Amino acid sequence: MQDRVVTKWRTATRMFVCLMVLIIGTGSLGMGSLQAQSDAGSIQGVVLDGRGLAVPGAAVAVASPTAVVRTAVSGANGKFTVTGLAAGTYRVETSATGFGTNVRQNVVVTAGQTANVSVSLAVASVSEEVTVEAEADTSIAAQMAPVKALLDMASPRSEITSQYIREYTSPVTDFADITQAAPGTVSYATNGIGNGQSKTWFRGFADGAFTMTWDGVPFQDSNDPTHHSWAYVPAPAISYVDFDRSPGTASDVGPTNFAGSIHMFSPQMGPATTFKVSESYGSFNTNQILGEFNSGLFGGKNPKANFWFEGHHNSSDGYQTFNDQQRTAGTAKFNYKFSDRTYLTLVSTIVLVDSNTPDSDPTRQQIADHGLNYVMDGNRLNADGTYNSMYYRNYTYHVPTNFDIISFGTEFGHGWRLETKPYSYSYSNHQHLQKDQSQDSTHEVAVSDHSAVDKLNQYNRGGEITSLSQASRFGVFRVGAWYEYTTTHRYQQNSDPRTWVDSPLLKNLRFHEYFKTNSAQPYIEYQLVAIPKWTITAGVKSALYTMDLTQLADGKVVGNLGCTSTTIAGCAGISVKHSAYYNNILPSFEANYRVASNWSVYGQFGRGSEIPPSSVFDVTGAQVAVTPKPTVATTYQGGTVVKLNRLSFDADVFHIHFQNAYGSYKVTDNTKPDFGDSYYYATPATNTTGFEVEGNLFVAHGLSFNFNGTAGQAKYEAFAGGTLANGKVLAPTPEQWVAAAPNYTVGAGATYQEKNWDLGFLNKQIGPRWMDNGSLHQTTQLDSFWMNNLFLNYTMRRNSFLDGSKIKLSMNNLFDFHDVVSLAPGVSGTAAAPYTRDGSDQLQLLSGRSVMITFQLGLIHREK
């Protein structure tokens, strides 16, 4: 294993040195874009709160239509001055701790003159606080960083910038791929970037243990809180990402702020009318056509409205054999500003995905026989005329989704502000999957009239997030609530893959259920800013959840429930109903101390919870004697943020104690009164401890080096064993690693931004990880693996009507590594032999090198 790592490291190092020589050589061809221009005009102003009082320390960014050109910070009297501006029209963006973003469009600067601007800031929700500071840094290193931290943050957060998403990711990227930029994250795509469902892990937490939001609204599956990177929020609908690796404060709502939250935001709309159309083509016959339109400000002499739309179609054969995908999506956003105090925003996205993807990964034997990219076959019949179970049309997905958000905010005066977000989203995943993929010595077998599965997972959700806040000279008071109602329909029924006719037999119905869920999280918190240099936030929320299930007779798991018929039709209407109620009180406390204007330290304590999934009741007879409680994570962490002119970095340490999912057992002694009941019990808790760092070093001529890394461990606590109240004996277990949790990650790369050129080389190594084998932990270890990506872009930025036109070259997995990134043992282990290498092991490999080229035509219209 060491020889492989050394070889890969030497290869990567040689390529990296060559790239740096090329970058530095290219950098000598022109003057740095960050060199000062001759003074021509200036903007000065004062920043006030809703009561007319001065706001010191506010971040002010002055931007042209294409980039931030100057930044400033308001003084003790709230005043600021920005000089050295060329004559033209600018956008002034302002924010401060506890306040939202104020954007003044069309500020005209005349040569030799000073434009005056008065800014009024309204109280912000927590997610809004990150909007501007991420762009208004006075540090050159922070301005050039693809990922950065905020001086005002009080928990470990990574701001994945819009520049990173647009310049240093594949044009067919998804949100799982985007999160790779943050420290400690693990995400990979076995079928190529954007060509399947990718997941994100960090700090030993798998997908489903953290919340994801889009414009402040959480989204997730209804049966368990996981996410689908190919179905919701396509990359063109994401401008930047706030990755908060903490349970957040009380006002951070969501179903699983257990490990943290990944907040995604829709694109901001500028004042100019723009139109972009692009085509991307590359490896695996991947093609994407995308169009984007921004209306600019419109609506008469005093325009107050914006409209933005993007639509795209993506098709790909995929890296894996016959694993193709088609995706069509569109996103629209409308904003109307009634006044400086009141606004309305509508945003909506629709996605339609069709693919051929199996329900399991290829086996070790299949890869050995057919190649590294094998997953399915193109032949319907085997050589002997029998039906081929691995025929790609045996595996089909059809997934339409939609996501709609209305945001309304108004300021009443005296610092009071109301914000409300009604929303809805829906998901319908209909699959046909051949389940029996057993093999003999010659070919796949076991195709029958019930060997496949007709599968549906369909839900509709509607909700509301409301917050009321008030700013005073002491700080910001917030009170609010999140409520959501969901209806779900799920089933799995055995079917014939040759005809897709469902089996009529009850024994071939795997399950069929309907359920309704209610989620509510009322909260209250206060953000104190009256103590010089300190920002202290404390709050508490209640996480309420109810579930009402109706499970139909299936003759297998839930049981026949009194039905004696052997057919599904004969058991119509026979079902069992049950309900569950959960509640957790979740406190939070965090503090930020500003040591200097460019240096802060912080600390946080917080709790997050995760409710049990609907499968709690998927036990024989649906008989649950004691419903398991929600699991809770308690987080202690602290860190620092430093922003020097040429070096910016942040670092944090953390300790998390969290409860794991519950185990279950069934009472099999028929002499006991609870015979047949299922009991749940808490499995050993987990402790995760570690260190994280990220930063950027600006060298010269647009050249920067970025870095991030983590070191730590995620382990189950040792358990001495014992006997439960009902006589169930639990065996002792030692301290063991959590599956798929690396003990380190290392990221390093370089970016070059000079005039019209953007070049980025980004490299990440994931350390060794242990995998589980059923209920046995730490059974087999996987080697570390590397991911290396290269991006080169040329963009027209000459203040012409073709601003935004671009040629982009992207290469993912530059060195074409094919490491095993996940393994599911094919043979169940025992205490004596926890893992035995076998041809039936299911493997996930890194997909091969992907090269994409994009041609983008951009048109811009500016008012003269």
Side-chain angles (χ1 to χ4, degrees):
M1 182 183 82
Q2 292 179 344
D3 292 340
R4 291 180 61 201
V5 173
V6 169
T7 301
K8 290 178 180 179
W9 171 252
R10 288 175 177 170
T11 302
T13 302
R14 287 196 294 267
M15 292 294 293
F16 183 73
V17 170
C18 293
L19 288 169
M20 291 304 99
V21 171
L22 173 63
I23 292 171
I24 295 172
T26 307
S28 65
L29 297 177
M31 298 297 291
S33 61
L34 294 176
Q35 292 180 346
Q37 300 176 0
S38 59
D39 291 352
S42 61
I43 296 175
Q44 68 178 18
V46 60
V47 183
L48 306 173
D49 64 16
R51 298 164 297 123
L53 301 179
V55 178
V60 181
V62 176
S64 70
T66 58
V68 173
V69 296
R70 292 287 188 276
T71 61
V73 177
S74 64
N77 57 1
K79 294 183 178 180
F80 68 90
T81 301
V82 179
T83 60
L85 298 173
T89 302
Y90 294 88
R91 182 176 74 256
V92 178
E93 301 182 353
T94 310
S95 73
T97 300
F99 295 90
T101 305
N102 180 287
V103 180
R104 293 292 300 274
Q105 305 281 7
N106 299 324
V107 177
V108 178
V109 172
T110 305
Q113 303 294 319
T114 297
N116 292 289
V117 175
S118 179
V119 177
S120 177
L121 294 181
V123 181
S125 63
V126 171
S127 61
E128 286 181 311
E129 291 181 39
V130 304
T131 302
V132 169
E133 186 179 341
E135 297 181 351
D137 294 302
T138 57
S139 160
I140 295 177
Q143 291 177 31
M144 304 291 284
V147 182
K148 62 189 76 176
L150 308 180
L151 286 165
D152 286 339
M153 72 187 193
S155 62
R157 308 173 86 117
S158 294
E159 306 306 311
I160 304 174
T161 65
S162 59
Q163 177 195 39
Y164 172 84
I165 296 173
R166 297 295 171 247
E167 306 296 345
Y168 305 126
T169 64
S170 168
V172 294
T173 189
D174 56 39
F175 60 68
D177 176 55
I178 291 170
T179 60
Q180 279 196 55
T185 53
V186 181
S187 180
Y188 48 80
T190 58
N191 195 36
I193 299 298
N195 287 333
Q197 182 165 282
S198 300
K199 299 290 186 180
T200 298
W201 294 261
F202 66 94
R203 291 185 173 183
F205 295 101
D207 185 29
F210 50 86
T211 291
M212 283 190 173
T213 71
W214 186 48
D215 280 2
V217 174
F219 64 94
Q220 70 286 323
D221 261 3
S222 59
N223 58 303
D224 62 59
T226 55
H227 310 90
H228 303 284
S229 62
W230 63 354
Y232 279 125
V233 194
I238 304 172
S239 61
Y240 73 100
V241 177
D242 168 41
F243 192 156
D244 183 2
R245 298 181 296 280
S246 82
T249 64
S251 60
D252 281 301
V253 297
T256 51
N257 292 18
F258 187 75
S261 297
I262 300 177
H263 302 295
M264 296 173 281
F265 296 89
S266 60
Q268 300 180 33
M269 298 180 287
T273 302
T274 61
F275 175 74
K276 298 177 183 177
V277 61
S278 66
E279 180 162 7
S280 303
Y281 184 79
S283 300
F284 326 135
N285 195 28
T286 301
N287 185 37
Q288 177 174 278
I289 300 174
L290 183 146
E292 182 178 333
F293 172 73
N294 177 20
S295 69
L297 286 170
F298 66 92
K301 294 183 179 180
N302 185 22
K304 298 180 178 181
N306 289 81
F307 175 75
W308 171 84
F309 172 80
E310 74 82 17
H312 69 272
H313 176 75
N314 174 280
S315 63
S316 177
D317 292 344
Y319 167 71
Q320 296 175 317
T321 56
F322 299 98
N323 192 358
D324 65 283
Q325 177 177 296
Q326 305 282 329
R327 184 182 69 205
T328 303
T331 308
K333 184 176 181 179
F334 172 80
N335 183 73
Y336 187 82
K337 192 173 183 180
F338 296 93
S339 67
D340 289 339
R341 294 173 176 264
T342 305
Y343 75 92
L344 174 70
T345 301
L346 312 175
V347 62
S348 177
T349 184
I350 297 174
V351 181
L352 178 62
V353 176
D354 288 282
S355 76
N356 296 104
T357 303
D359 201 30
S360 57
D361 299 309
T363 65
R364 189 185 299 275
Q365 188 63 53
Q366 287 173 326
I367 291 174
D369 292 342
H370 305 292
L372 294 173
N373 67 332
Y374 177 80
V375 69
M376 289 176 293
D377 294 331
N379 53 302
R380 187 171 185 268
L381 301 176
N382 295 303
D384 60 2
T386 59
Y387 195 86
N388 184 3
S389 67
M390 299 308 300
Y391 180 46
Y392 74 100
R393 291 191 180 276
N394 292 347
Y395 309 91
T396 63
Y397 281 70
H398 178 69
V399 187
T401 69
N402 69 277
F403 200 161
D404 310 297
I405 305 172
I406 301 174
S407 299
F408 175 80
T410 186
E411 188 178 352
F412 301 113
H414 301 288
W416 286 96
R417 186 190 186 198
L418 173 71
E419 183 179 67
T420 183
K421 286 180 179 284
Y423 66 89
S424 69
Y425 62 95
S426 63
Y427 174 88
S428 180
N429 182 357
H430 196 181
Q431 306 173 44
H432 287 96
L433 303 167
Q434 164 69 18
K435 296 295 287 188
D436 192 339
Q437 297 172 24
S438 58
Q439 297 179 312
D440 63 14
S441 60
T442 57
H443 54 70
E444 293 75 12
V445 296
V447 172
S448 69
D449 61 0
H450 61 276
S451 62
V453 173
D454 177 2
K455 180 178 179 180
L456 178 71
N457 181 16
Q458 185 179 81
Y459 57 82
N460 295 280
R461 310 189 94 138
E464 225 283 338
I465 302 173
T466 297
S467 64
L468 180 66
S469 53
Q470 196 264 338
S472 69
R473 63 188 180 91
F474 300 106
V476 181
F477 167 76
R478 296 186 182 95
V479 63
W482 166 53
Y483 172 74
E484 185 175 87
Y485 175 76
T486 308
T487 60
T488 303
H489 180 203
R490 299 175 68 232
Y491 66 74
Q492 289 188 23
Q493 183 171 347
N494 284 13
S495 184
D496 188 336
R498 297 161 297 189
T499 61
W500 292 120
V501 174
D502 292 345
S503 171
L505 299 180
L506 183 63
K507 67 178 181 179
N508 289 331
L509 176 64
R510 293 170 178 254
F511 70 81
H512 194 170
E513 64 185 5
Y514 299 87
F515 55 89
K516 300 176 181 179
T517 54
N518 289 272
S519 304
Q521 288 183 5
Y523 67 83
I524 184 170
E525 73 176 23
Y526 194 81
Q527 186 176 50
L528 179 68
V529 297
I531 305 174
K533 297 187 178 182
W534 284 92
T535 300
I536 301 172
T537 305
V540 65
K541 67 183 170 189
S542 177
L544 302 161
Y545 185 93
T546 66
M547 177 179 288
D548 297 289
L549 299 99
T550 299
Q551 292 181 296
L552 305 179
D554 62 19
K556 183 179 180 182
V557 177
V558 176
N560 60 26
L561 305 175
C563 178
T564 59
S565 173
T566 60
T567 65
I568 297 172
C571 294
I574 298 179
S575 63
V576 62
K577 299 179 185 294
H578 35 262
S579 300
Y581 169 79
Y582 309 99
N583 185 23
N584 282 100
I585 303 300
L586 304 173
S588 63
F589 177 85
E590 60 182 34
N592 176 289
Y593 179 72
R594 187 65 69 93
V595 181
S597 61
N598 60 351
W599 179 20
S600 66
V601 295
Y602 62 85
Q604 183 198 47
F605 159 79
R607 281 184 176 162
S609 66
E610 181 176 13
I611 62 169
S614 64
S615 59
V616 162
F617 295 96
D618 292 343
V619 295
T620 304
Q623 299 177 72
V624 179
V626 179
T627 304
K629 299 177 181 179
T631 52
V632 175
T634 303
T635 300
Y636 303 89
Q637 52 193 347
T640 186
V641 181
V642 178
K643 295 191 176 184
L644 307 175
N645 190 41
R646 290 180 176 268
L647 173 66
S648 66
F649 72 91
D650 60 279
D652 65 86
V653 293
F654 59 88
H655 174 77
I656 308 170
H657 176 82
F658 61 94
Q659 300 167 333
N660 283 293
Y662 287 79
S664 67
Y665 71 96
K666 177 184 176 182
V667 177
T668 58
D669 187 346
N670 59 11
T671 65
K672 293 187 176 182
D674 54 356
F675 168 68
D677 285 358
S678 293
Y679 285 84
Y680 285 85
Y681 60 92
T683 58
T686 300
N687 292 306
T688 298
T689 303
F691 168 79
E692 299 169 329
V693 64
E694 64 181 341
N696 193 59
L697 173 66
F698 175 72
V699 181
H701 299 294
L703 176 64
S704 296
F705 294 93
N706 57 78
F707 55 90
N708 67 69
T710 62
Q713 63 179 22
K715 288 187 174 182
Y716 298 103
E717 291 182 344
F719 176 61
T723 303
L724 300 179
N726 285 66
K728 172 69 174 180
V729 178
L730 302 179
T733 56
E735 184 182 59
Q736 295 172 309
W737 276 90
V738 174
N743 59 359
Y744 72 87
T745 68
V746 177
T751 59
Y752 173 74
Q753 305 167 51
E754 187 75 3
K755 293 185 177 179
N756 302 58
W757 292 94
D758 294 278
L759 190 150
F761 173 71
L762 306 171
N763 174 77
K764 192 166 188 176
Q765 183 187 21
I766 308 301
R769 294 155 300 136
W770 287 95
M771 307 305 293
D772 289 352
N773 187 359
S775 60
L776 298 176
H777 302 300
Q778 198 172 312
T779 58
T780 182
Q781 191 176 42
L782 299 181
D783 293 342
S784 63
F785 68 93
W786 293 81
M787 293 178 287
N788 317 92
N789 303 325
L790 177 67
F791 304 93
L792 177 62
N793 314 311
Y794 178 83
T795 306
M796 293 192 64
R797 298 189 182 105
R798 300 187 181 279
N799 294 322
S800 72
F801 75 99
L802 289 176
D803 271 6
S805 295
K806 174 186 294 188
I807 298 176
K808 178 175 182 176
L809 176 67
S810 62
M811 286 182 275
N812 290 83
N813 192 5
L814 179 64
F815 303 123
D816 201 27
F817 295 148
H818 295 278
D819 300 85
V820 177
V821 293
S822 182
L823 181 152
V827 178
S828 297
T830 64
Y835 170 68
T836 302
R837 182 184 175 111
D838 190 83
S840 61
D841 294 342
Q842 293 184 7
L843 306 180
Q844 290 185 347
L845 309 179
L846 281 182
S847 61
R849 181 189 298 112
S850 171
V851 181
M852 297 283 293
I853 187 167
T854 299
F855 299 94
Q856 175 179 295
L857 173 65
L859 304 175
I860 184 169
H861 172 73
R862 296 185 179 90
E863 296 293 337
K864 296 182 179 181

